Amino acid sequence: MLLEKRFRELLDAAPDAIMQVDAEGRIILLNRVAEDMFGYSRDELMGRPVEALIPQELHARHVEHRAHYRQQPMTRTMGSGLALEAIRKDGSRFPVEISLSPSESAEGFRVTAIIRDTTERRTAEERLRKVQEDYTQRLAEANAELEMTNRELERANRLKSEFLASMSHELRTPLHTIIGFSELLAEKLEGPLNEKQMRFVQHIHKDALHLLELINDVLDISKIEADRLELRPEAFDFTALIAESLASVRSLADAKSHILETTSNVPTAIEADRLRVKQILVNLLSNAIKFTPEGGRIGLEARVQDSFVVVSVSDTGIGIPAEEHESIFEKFHQVGATTKGVREGTGLGLAITKRLVEQHGGRIWVQSKPQQGSTFLFTLPLESAERKNQGA
Ligand code: ADP
């Protein structure tokens, strides 16, 4: 008797509904939770077919399942993977999870079922699914918006590049006329000029050249930004290109009485875009000349290290404070007072130079201290990246 009472207590303390049915599917045992869950009293359920707790449309199938289970009894979850539903006395339905275990007793075959009401879990799952759905939906909307903005940006960027390309072409043509005719006038072949007229013509010439440089820079940077700058790699003699670059800045250097020194130990030909490499060298050399007071020393050194050419352009000029070593490579960045008194630039030169070096697969950096000169260093692979890829 005591044992039965203990068993009863244990059964009623369980958090899930527990029921036992006999071989005919009649309920022969249930706990309190089962009464509460289904809304029946114990007496109403004892001896009734378990189908009373299952929606009408499933009765026939359940009877079949029971017979089947009788053949292959084992402990398992019922209808695993299916959404099971039970029905209360008042006809309302709710989702359940059921595990079954068979037992054979003196009275015959029995099945114990543990039934859990999963309404709360379902609701939580449903809520989670809804949140996920909302989130996915919002993400998709945001993505679509982003894509549209990107497309608009791309379009605007393309239009800008096209505009700049055509504008700079339009601007360059009359500039070349101005430059050419001012040179002709200065040569005095069409008649003499007095000193004042000569000075005016030289101003026109100098500023027209400056304007041309500016337009070329703007065109370059817009091409770079639109990813439209294409390199045309070819094999060429690097030492000869150094000589050529020095020649094109020599008059600038002479005008400030600078000494130009160069050492090149690049025996092999290198493979790169010749014109662009010259642009890099000329830009670094003109900066060195520009930012060095009269009578300075400008050095250009090139050597091979591993599979790279390492080039340094040094000067004895005004130098650059450490905190500017990165930012000078950004477009339009000019160090505070350095350009005062020197011919103003565009602030684009180093930004273009950096991109040209990087597009070749090299890198560029500066070593400098204020008043102690600057050394710009850059590397270029001996073999062009494109050729390497083709070879691989
Ligand atoms: P800019 O047209 O002004 O020369 P750059 O992009 O070529 O534009 O250079 C950016 C700035 O970096 C310059 O305005 C100058 O302040 C600094 N700079 C560049 N080269 C040197 C140098 N050799 N010595 C000192 N400052 C330099």
Side-chain angles (χ1 to χ4, degrees):
M1 205 54 207
L2 189 65
L3 198 64
E4 197 178 312
K5 186 167 175 278
R6 296 260 310 272
F7 171 68
R8 192 77 244 166
E9 277 170 5
L10 201 63
L11 206 60
D12 287 339
D16 295 322
I18 300 176
M19 274 183 198
Q20 206 167 51
V21 300
D22 63 13
E24 277 71 48
R26 280 189 302 260
I27 297 168
I28 54 171
L29 180 99
L30 68 149
N31 67 350
R32 273 217 69 81
V33 181
E35 292 178 71
D36 295 342
M37 192 179 284
F38 290 96
Y40 289 100
S41 68
R42 176 186 310 276
D43 295 342
E44 286 174 304
L45 281 179
M46 285 301 271
R48 278 195 54 190
V50 73
E51 276 76 26
L53 308 176
I54 292 168
Q56 178 76 38
E57 70 272 17
L58 298 172
H59 283 185
R61 209 152 359 121
H62 193 258
V63 173
E64 262 172 48
H65 282 313
R66 260 197 303 114
H68 187 68
Y69 190 75
R70 180 82 176 86
Q71 305 299 317
Q72 285 182 323
M74 57 176 168
T75 302
R76 61 169 172 85
T77 53
M78 185 170 146
S80 79
L82 295 178
L84 299 179
E85 257 192 344
I87 193 158
R88 296 191 189 90
K89 184 179 177 184
D90 63 9
S92 58
R93 297 174 175 216
F94 60 102
V96 285
E97 211 173 63
I98 301 172
S99 60
L100 303 173
S101 49
S103 57
E104 203 71 56
S105 72
E107 288 86 24
F109 179 71
R110 291 175 171 187
V111 180
T112 308
I114 298 176
I115 306 149
R116 177 168 296 177
D117 181 342
T118 57
T119 308
E120 260 174 44
R121 206 179 63 202
R122 279 288 174 81
T123 319
E125 278 170 0
E126 186 60 27
R127 222 178 296 139
L128 186 67
R129 204 181 49 76
K130 184 107 190 54
V131 168
Q132 273 172 340
E133 235 170 50
D134 277 3
Y135 184 70
T136 316
Q137 164 91 14
R138 255 186 286 159
L139 204 65
E141 280 168 13
N143 269 344
E145 222 168 275
L146 204 66
E147 213 172 283
M148 204 159 86
T149 316
N150 267 348
R151 264 206 301 274
E152 274 166 21
L153 262 176
E154 252 168 46
R155 203 178 95 86
N157 210 9
R158 204 183 54 243
L159 284 179
K160 184 193 79 178
S161 309
E162 277 163 15
F163 170 75
L164 282 173
S166 69
M167 270 316 278
S168 38
H169 178 76
E170 296 296 314
L171 287 169
R172 268 192 286 197
T173 314
L175 261 180
H176 279 297
T177 312
I178 296 170
I179 292 166
F181 280 110
S182 57
E183 275 167 5
L184 267 181
L185 281 176
E187 282 167 20
K188 301 180 193 164
L189 294 175
E190 300 299 320
L193 297 180
N194 65 34
E195 202 190 312
K196 226 178 189 175
Q197 287 168 332
M198 188 64 183
R199 226 178 44 241
F200 291 172
V201 164
Q202 278 166 348
H203 276 313
I204 294 171
H205 186 246
K206 191 172 133 250
D207 279 357
L209 280 179
H210 180 47
L211 197 53
L212 185 63
E213 208 178 286
L214 217 132
I215 290 165
N216 285 337
D217 276 3
V218 168
L219 182 63
D220 272 353
I221 204 86
S222 68
K223 266 197 205 153
I224 286 172
E225 287 185 347
D227 263 336
R228 289 232 190 138
L229 191 113
E230 279 171 27
L231 297 180
R232 294 192 184 84
E234 56 176 317
F236 63 87
D237 178 350
F238 194 67
T239 310
L241 187 77
I242 289 181
E244 215 178 279
S245 310
L246 286 171
S248 67
V249 297
R250 190 163 304 274
S251 63
L252 275 181
D254 287 348
K256 291 182 80 175
S257 314
H258 289 323
I259 297 171
L260 283 179
E261 295 169 323
T262 170
T263 39
S264 172
N265 288 314
V266 184
T268 39
I270 90 156
E271 196 178 65
D273 187 323
R274 193 175 188 283
L275 277 182
R276 293 302 186 180
V277 175
K278 184 173 174 188
Q279 189 180 348
I280 295 169
L281 288 172
V282 169
N283 186 37
L284 293 179
L285 285 168
S286 356
N287 274 352
I289 294 166
K290 202 158 68 166
F291 296 107
T292 300
E294 302 244 335
R297 266 172 199 281
I298 314 296
L300 199 167
E301 211 181 284
R303 62 195 157 84
V304 172
Q305 190 178 323
D306 303 325
S307 52
F308 287 86
V309 185
V310 185
V311 183
S312 75
V313 176
S314 57
D315 62 55
T316 53
I318 57 172
I320 302 160
E323 64 271 19
E324 302 274 0
H325 286 188
E326 299 269 335
S327 43
I328 47 167
F329 292 103
E330 287 163 17
K331 60 180 177 177
F332 300 120
H333 189 92
Q334 295 177 317
V335 178
T338 57
T339 48
K340 263 191 206 140
V342 288
R343 187 170 66 93
E344 76 225 63
T346 59
L348 287 172
L350 284 179
I352 295 170
T353 303
K354 182 173 194 280
R355 291 297 294 262
L356 289 176
V357 169
E358 287 173 353
Q359 204 165 328
H360 273 93
R363 57 186 203 95
I364 184 168
W365 68 101
V366 65
Q367 295 167 345
S368 178
K369 278 186 189 152
Q371 307 312 325
Q372 293 184 27
S374 310
T375 302
F376 282 81
L377 292 122
F378 71 91
T379 62
L380 285 180
L382 284 169
E383 210 181 323
S384 94
E386 281 150 53
R387 182 69 61 89
K388 238 187 231 163
N389 288 344
Q390 279 165 14

